[in-house]
Each structure stands twice: as structure tokens, then as C-alpha cells.
Amino acid sequence: MTIETPVPTAEKTQVSRRGVLGSAGALMIGLVMPGPARREMIAAAAGVSASVNAWVQIASNETVTLFISCAEMGQGIMTGLAQILAEDLMVDWTKVRVVAAPTDAVYNNPAFGMQATGGSSAVAGYYTPLRQSGAAARDMLLAAAAQTWGVTPSQCTVSNGVVTRTGTTQTLTYGQLAALAATMPVPTNPVLTPDNLLRLIGKPIKRVDLPLKVNGKAVYGIDVRVPGMVYAAIKHPPAYGGTVASVASNPNVVNLGNAVAVVADNTWKAIQSARSLSVQWTIPSASSSMTSASILTQAQQLMTSGPALVAETVGDAAGNMGLATKKLDVTYQFPFLAHACMEPLNCTVDLKTDSCTVWAPTQAQTLVQSTASTITGLPISAITVKPTFLGGGLGRKFELDFITQALQIAVAIKKPVKLTWSREEDFSNDWYRPFALVRVQAGLDANNNVVSWIYRNVSESILAQHGYIDHGVEDSQATEGATGLSYNFMSRLVDWVEHPATVPVGFWRSVGNSINAYAVESAIDELALLAGIDPLALRQQLLVNDPRSLAVVNAAAQMANWGTPPASGHARGIAFCNSFGTLVCHVVDVSNPSKYSVRVNNVWTAVDCGRAINPNQVEAQIQGGIIHGMTGALWGQIPINKGMSTVKNFSNYRMARMSDMPKVQVQIINSGQPIGGMGEPGVPPIGPAIAAAYYRLTGTRVRNLPFFPGAPGGGDS
């Protein structure tokens, strides 16, 4: 298995599909028949070049190229999708190479209707289409062999890229059959490999992207170089919503309206020049006076009097509260959080009179292409997007601000340009996870049944800020993780009040689930204390009608030996969340609390994602989600003062370090249910699990995150 990485300076020659199929001996097949050839050319080891809108390319030298359309940002998606595609193709895995697909509608993520990576949707969305595509290619190869031998396809078998005529020693390889197979009709309903014969799906295949990342050959956006390019840096207003009032005229300065760019012959010089550049800004009065304290005060007012939009209602939650013999009324507070990707935002643009090429670490190729078309005035067909590896995405690189700026600079200076944000601009102008205030009111009857559950979330609207819904319309991102709970509440009411703050907010790994799971699971833990019963026992009682969720919770508890006392000076906590179609339960063991930290020693995790395509990747995503969630819960915060983040670098944004990493044990439950996502579900339950353990260790209930505000960071970067 090999993986191709983009070579930014390579010049490629356009080849027609007919020429490729006629002279190269290659089979290419997509979910639909491919359209016109793209300019992007893929060179096979034997010197064969081809490019069409297709998922599978088989060359005469037996090389099998799989086109993967999702952004590889460390989650291993190129490997997982390649396993799915190669499974029913019945190809020799050692002959496979993986290539980033060009931007085209044939590669659209079924979950989004466009080529984009997010929402833990890739495997779930592409699973069936990719299996069908691999199976269709396999059947076309079988048909080609059958025609060659003058037999029916049923008289042929295939294994590891070799077709054998049944009852004989006659064989034909995929490479020998490719040219003829390309002329065969595309099957509309190919038969998929039965579960008991799967060779790749469910196996711990090694990641295809790691060798390049280890040997330094991986190309990230920040690595891109094109001939004759210049370098740009950005300077934003000192408060959100600001615009440029005036800036001195200079051929190396580009006024972008809501920011200023400086162009130089290297990135460092551009960043230094941008920092020292004198700009007059127009700042909205509402922004200049906005602080974390004012945002909180307004949220507290909205909590009691704000216009609430109902997200979910079952029964009469308000009326049933009168049936409760024990009542809980608690409020949880969540700060803005940065994405803090290791790779700063960057984008390279080469704009010519009749074409535009964009290299970017992006999660949204289709949106990049359409944005480039709008800004340059060129048709979509003239825009080429070349996605690179991402040094972290986490939802931040779904945004288009840095892409738009690079395109605007290229239009203004008429030279190839690479824009790189400084770390300070990155932290100050993120699209943060929203601040939120959440109130949970719950009532227990004499048998510890939850007779009433009233839940309200006050936060900004991600979807409204991005233009996906109108303000005043219920935002599903704000309430995910609070609705559709597995718990057996007799009545419940979940609503949301939109906060009018103008801090930019966006999609942060697990989005609303990371907020709401903390509030829900912490409240469940507090209810258990109120009832005087074990928190596991309360969950078991509440999940009695959901055997799948109950199995996950029980599995994690069993792994952690929940019923036994923890070691002296240690405490355990448990939390569960169903997000993105995947069920995760964490049990944690903590010790050694101090002013700015607590030691998380062990995490025992049970996960049910329906079917694990690659168990190693499932485990890795759980581990990554745990460390990401720990950063957010224990230390993460973006304070706002005078309309702007006060955090400018890692020096005052404490991240989880290698020394903070707990020992993680993961049990995967393959339930056979529909496939769920894995990129995000590990995040939501870790914070409340630690909070539950921390309370038992210290007697302190953490309702206002982070646990340790003001913790020293880890130095500049």
C-alpha cells in the first residue's frame, strides 16, 4: 500500500479519457459513469497517466489507485475508506495506492451533498456507495475475463486481483483485463461480499498516511511552494466586527475591508510587517464594550426571561415536577474554546487569466471551489482545488475566512501568493466553540424515577452565524447531546435561547455534544448523589429500555472493576454519550489534585459504532478524543475583553501534554447496528467522567468550566 501526496510544482499534461483507456490499459469506475477528464493527472508507477471522475483506477502494471475524497487530518480516513473501497474489489492490498481525489460532484459526501469532511460522517456516508463501487469494478473485470475466455462470469472466480477460470489453471490479472473491463456495462446492483468473507473491513490495517509523515515527505498546506510566489500575512481588527477605516497606500498592503494583508518575500517578514503596520479601524460600539462578564450577565438574564425555542418535549415536564419528592436545580457554565490546531491557517493561490489553483488544508473542497469562482469571476470548471494534509482540523478548517483572504490577495497583487496566519491572529480570530449557560431541573419520585427533566441551553447560534438558518430559529447544533437521550425520563422539555453576542462561533470537535453531554452527565451524577445510589446503578435503571446503550455502559464499568474500591487517594467517575450514531462510555480514575491540574491515570472506554472498519483507528480516535476533551474541560478558555480574545498564544492556553495522557483501554462492541462516526464521539463523555471522579476525590463539584482557569500555558509557538 502506498499513498500519493500532492506535488505543488508539478506540471501535468491533459489526457482524454478515451486516450487513457485506449493506450494505457486502465479501468476507471465511479459511483456514476465519469464525466469529462479533469486537469489533475495521476501518474502510476509504470508511467501511465490518467484523470477522470472515478474512485478506482487499475493500470496495466497491476497498480490499483483508489481516490479518496475526504480530508486526512490525522483521523486515518484515507485508510478506512480505502479498506471499504478495496474490500469488494477483491484486490491485492499490497498493490493499492491512495490518492486525494480532485474536486468534483462525483466525490460528494452523501451526508453533506458536497465534498467536505466533518460531522463524523465520512465512513457512515461513504460506506455503502464505496462498497458498491468496488463491487461494480470487480464485476466488470469478471465480465472482461469471461468474454476473453468465451464463458459466463459465473464460471470465473477472483482473488487478490487475479481472475481464474473455474476448473482450469487459466488466470488473468486485473492489469491484463483493465482495458477491456473499461468497456463493459457498469452493474447497477452488484453483490457485496458477505460479512463472513470480509478480508479488509474490520481488520487493523496499518495507516497509509503514516510513512510519509514519519519520513517527512507528507505535504501539508504550510509546505506548499509554487514558482514565483510571494508570501502574505494578515492583520485583523482589535475587536470582532471591526472594519478598515484607513491604511496608508502601499503596493505591498492589501485592504480586505475587514482585515489588512501585507505581502513580502518571506513569511516572517510579512508577519513582522503586519504587526507593525498602522491601521485605523472602525469598531462597533457593542463589540468594544463586550467582555466575558457582560456575556455571562446577559446569559443569566436570558436564562430566566429569554424567548425559548423548544427542541424537544415529551409529556408535561413542568406539571410532573410536582410529583417529585427530590429536586435538582443546577446551572453549568462553559467558556469559549479555541481549536488550537498545530498547523496555523494557510492557503496558497496561483491565479492566472483563465484558471485558478488553490492549495489548502481544507475540510470543504466544494466550498473552496465555489468561493474561488465567486471571488475570481472564473467558472467552476477553471478552479482546481488541491487539498493537502491537515495539521489538525477539528472543524476550524471547514471555515473559509483564510481561503477568502488568500484569493482576495491574489486578485489584488496578480502573483501567486501563500497566506499564513500568525499564531496570534489564529487564536484571536478563531471561530470558537460557543460560550454556553445550561440549567438542568430534574425531579425524582420515591422510587428514584426521573419524573421530570427540564433543560435549557443559552448560547450563540453557529448555524445562524454561518447563514444556514435565520436568527430566531432553533439551532440543532446548540441542543445536540441534550435531545434524543437514551435515558428513560417520564417527561422532558429541552429548549434553547439564542445569545446575541457577536463573538464568532463555529464547529468545534463534537460541537454541541461537548457542552450538553457535560451538563447532562453531570446532572445524572448529581441526581445519583441526591437519590443516595450509585451513579452506575442510576444509569442502569434509566437505560432499562435501551439494551444497546446499557451494554456499552456495563462493558465500561466491568473493564474498570467498578464495584471494587479504588486505590487510596484515587476516585472513579463514569459518563456516557450517544453522538454521531456512536455510543461511548468512559470510566476514569483520577488522583493527585493540585492548583492547576488533576492526574487522570486511567480511562476505560466501551464504544459501539455499529461496525469498526479498522479497530486500530477506532482506538486511536477514542484516545485523541480523550486528550482533546481533557484540554477543553480542564484548562481551555477564551476570555473576552473589549470585544476580543485575551488569549494570543499557547503561553496562556494550556494544552494537555504527553505527561497528562492517561492509560486508555478500549473495548469495541460490534453491534451490527448502522455505522456511526468515530472522529468526535470520544470527546463529549470525558469531561463529565472526570468531573464525577473529581467530586468524589475532592468534594468539589465543577459546574463552571474549565476546572483550572488561569493555568499557565506551555510557551509560545
Side-chain angles (χ1 to χ4, degrees):
M1 160 63 74
T2 60
I3 182 171
E4 295 297 319
T5 187
V7 183
T9 58
E11 293 295 329
K12 312 268 177 70
T13 304
Q14 189 166 358
V15 179
S16 71
R17 177 173 181 267
R18 180 179 299 275
V20 168
L21 298 181
S23 62
L27 166 65
M28 299 184 184
I29 182 171
L31 299 183
V32 297
M33 285 303 293
R38 305 277 305 177
R39 293 177 64 91
E40 174 72 16
M41 306 313 301
I42 305 300
V48 176
S49 296
S51 178
V52 292
N53 300 329
W55 297 96
V56 178
Q57 171 186 313
I58 300 176
S60 56
N61 72 331
E62 310 302 337
T63 300
V64 178
T65 300
L66 306 181
F67 292 84
I68 302 301
S69 61
C70 287
E72 178 57 74
M73 45 191 161
Q75 81 279 41
I77 196 60
M78 296 189 86
T79 308
L81 293 184
Q83 285 178 249
I84 295 168
L85 186 54
E87 180 65 68
D88 295 276
L89 184 59
M90 295 186 180
V91 68
D92 181 352
W93 182 254
T94 64
K95 302 291 180 61
V96 169
R97 67 180 189 143
V98 180
V99 174
T103 304
D104 194 282
V106 73
Y107 298 111
N108 283 353
N109 185 333
F112 294 141
M114 63 179 176
Q115 202 167 338
T117 308
S120 299
S121 64
V123 169
Y126 282 111
Y127 181 77
T128 298
L130 288 184
R131 289 201 63 182
Q132 291 173 338
S133 182
R138 175 204 67 210
D139 285 356
M140 293 167 72
L141 288 153
L142 282 168
Q147 180 173 308
T148 301
W149 289 321
V151 298
T152 64
S154 63
Q155 293 174 279
C156 304
T157 59
V158 60
S159 177
N160 283 332
V162 177
V163 180
T164 301
R165 183 177 177 182
T166 305
T168 75
T169 59
Q170 291 179 280
T171 61
L172 289 168
T173 66
Y174 275 6
Q176 292 170 320
L177 293 167
L180 179 58
T183 68
M184 296 293 162
V186 179
T188 57
N189 191 27
V191 176
L192 303 183
T193 304
D195 286 355
N196 64 327
L197 296 178
L198 294 176
R199 302 172 304 112
L200 299 173
I201 292 175
K203 302 302 188 293
I205 304 295
K206 292 182 179 179
R207 287 261 298 265
V208 301
D209 56 315
L210 292 186
L212 290 174
K213 293 175 178 178
V214 171
N215 65 27
K217 294 181 179 179
V219 175
Y220 292 85
I222 206 166
D223 298 321
V224 172
R225 302 288 188 277
V226 297
M229 80 176 187
V230 294
Y231 300 79
I234 206 77
K235 184 170 189 171
H236 290 97
Y240 303 122
T243 56
V244 179
S246 65
V247 61
S249 178
N250 186 315
N252 293 322
V253 175
V254 181
N255 184 347
L256 303 176
N258 60 357
V260 174
V262 177
V263 178
D265 58 10
N266 64 68
T267 296
W268 179 245
K269 186 182 295 185
I271 289 175
Q272 293 299 97
S273 297
R275 285 173 175 165
S276 62
L277 183 67
S278 177
V279 183
Q280 300 298 313
W281 305 98
T282 299
I283 306 296
S285 58
S287 292
S288 61
S289 60
M290 185 169 56
T291 66
S292 292
S294 68
I295 292 170
L296 173 59
T297 297
Q298 194 166 15
Q300 291 168 332
Q301 295 169 348
L302 291 169
M303 181 63 74
T304 58
S305 61
L309 298 170
V310 175
E312 182 181 55
T313 181
V314 176
D316 182 7
N320 279 7
M321 192 63 76
L323 303 175
T325 59
K326 300 173 184 176
K327 297 179 181 180
L328 180 74
D329 189 346
V330 290
T331 300
Y332 304 94
Q333 182 180 324
F334 303 85
F336 294 104
L337 290 181
H339 290 82
C341 298
M342 292 297 101
E343 179 189 22
L345 298 172
N346 64 86
C347 179
T348 301
V349 177
D350 187 3
L351 176 61
K352 303 185 185 307
T353 57
D354 60 350
S355 67
C356 179
T357 304
V358 181
W359 291 267
T362 179
Q363 294 177 236
Q365 298 98 302
T366 297
L367 296 181
V368 171
Q369 190 179 55
S370 60
T371 299
S373 176
T374 299
I375 292 175
T376 64
L378 294 169
I380 289 289
S381 59
I383 309 296
T384 300
V385 178
K386 297 188 177 183
T388 65
F389 285 128
L390 283 65
L394 308 171
R396 178 61 178 97
K397 290 169 185 173
F398 200 93
E399 307 292 349
L400 297 169
D401 47 355
F402 62 107
I403 305 290
T404 297
Q405 291 170 347
L407 287 161
Q408 291 173 324
I409 297 166
V411 169
I413 67 174
K414 296 178 173 54
K415 295 178 182 178
V417 62
K418 176 182 180 178
L419 170 66
T420 305
W421 284 28
S422 69
R423 187 67 72 184
E424 289 77 11
E425 294 292 340
D426 199 343
F427 266 112
S428 299
N429 296 277
D430 200 348
W431 294 79
Y432 306 103
R433 189 191 76 170
F435 161 92
L437 195 67
V438 174
R439 182 184 182 186
V440 182
Q441 301 172 77
L444 296 171
D445 67 11
N447 296 318
N448 293 324
N449 297 307
V450 179
V451 294
S452 178
W453 177 270
I454 301 174
Y455 187 99
R456 174 167 292 182
N457 178 309
V458 179
S459 57
E460 286 184 78
S461 174
I462 296 172
L463 297 184
Q465 279 201 14
H466 287 70
Y468 297 134
I469 62 172
D470 294 329
H471 291 283
V473 175
E474 198 271 321
D475 187 338
S476 61
Q477 302 292 287
T479 56
E480 64 178 359
T483 58
L485 297 177
S486 302
Y487 296 126
N488 184 29
F489 299 151
M490 290 177 62
S491 63
R492 61 183 181 271
L493 170 64
V494 178
D495 60 29
W496 168 69
V497 179
E498 182 177 358
H499 197 298
T502 55
V503 177
V505 292
F507 307 99
W508 187 91
R509 188 178 185 181
S510 79
V511 203
N513 289 285
S514 64
I515 293 171
N516 294 312
Y518 189 94
V520 168
E521 291 299 299
S522 292
I524 294 294
D525 197 74
E526 296 202 52
L527 279 173
L529 181 68
L530 185 65
I533 61 177
D534 182 87
L536 170 63
L538 179 58
R539 286 177 172 83
Q540 290 170 330
Q541 176 182 323
L542 293 173
L543 294 173
V544 66
N545 294 326
D546 188 340
R548 185 184 177 199
S549 296
L550 182 59
V552 171
V553 170
N554 284 339
Q558 185 175 6
M559 292 170 66
N561 293 315
W562 181 268
T564 63
S568 177
H570 290 236
R572 296 193 194 109
I574 186 171
F576 167 78
C577 184
N578 181 348
S579 62
F580 307 97
T582 293
L583 286 60
V584 174
C585 184
H586 294 313
V587 176
V588 304
D589 173 276
V590 304
S591 65
N592 301 97
S594 63
K595 181 179 180 180
Y596 288 126
S597 190
V598 64
R599 177 65 194 166
V600 183
N601 302 291
N602 291 279
V603 181
W604 298 273
T605 301
V607 53
D608 179 355
C609 58
R611 164 176 279 171
I613 303 303
N614 187 319
N616 284 355
Q617 289 175 209
V618 170
E619 184 173 0
Q621 285 303 289
I622 289 294
Q623 293 168 338
I626 286 169
I627 205 72
H628 187 83
M630 283 175 56
T631 288
L634 298 181
W635 305 289
Q637 60 179 149
I638 295 292
I640 303 297
N641 187 44
K642 296 182 180 179
M644 175 60 65
S645 165
T646 62
V647 170
K648 304 299 181 184
N649 211 312
F650 289 112
S651 54
N652 56 345
Y653 197 82
R654 167 78 153 89
M655 303 283 289
R657 303 161 182 160
M658 290 185 68
S659 58
D660 297 311
M661 185 68 196
K663 180 181 179 181
V664 178
Q665 299 177 55
V666 178
Q667 179 179 335
I668 299 171
I669 300 173
N670 285 302
S671 64
Q673 296 297 313
I675 293 175
M678 273 312 308
E680 298 164 275
V683 177
I686 190 62
I690 296 173
Y694 190 76
Y695 172 77
R696 284 163 181 77
L697 183 67
T698 66
T700 299
R701 179 70 65 178
V702 179
R703 298 195 184 107
N704 296 345
L705 293 182
F707 280 59
F708 308 109
D716 291 347
S717 175

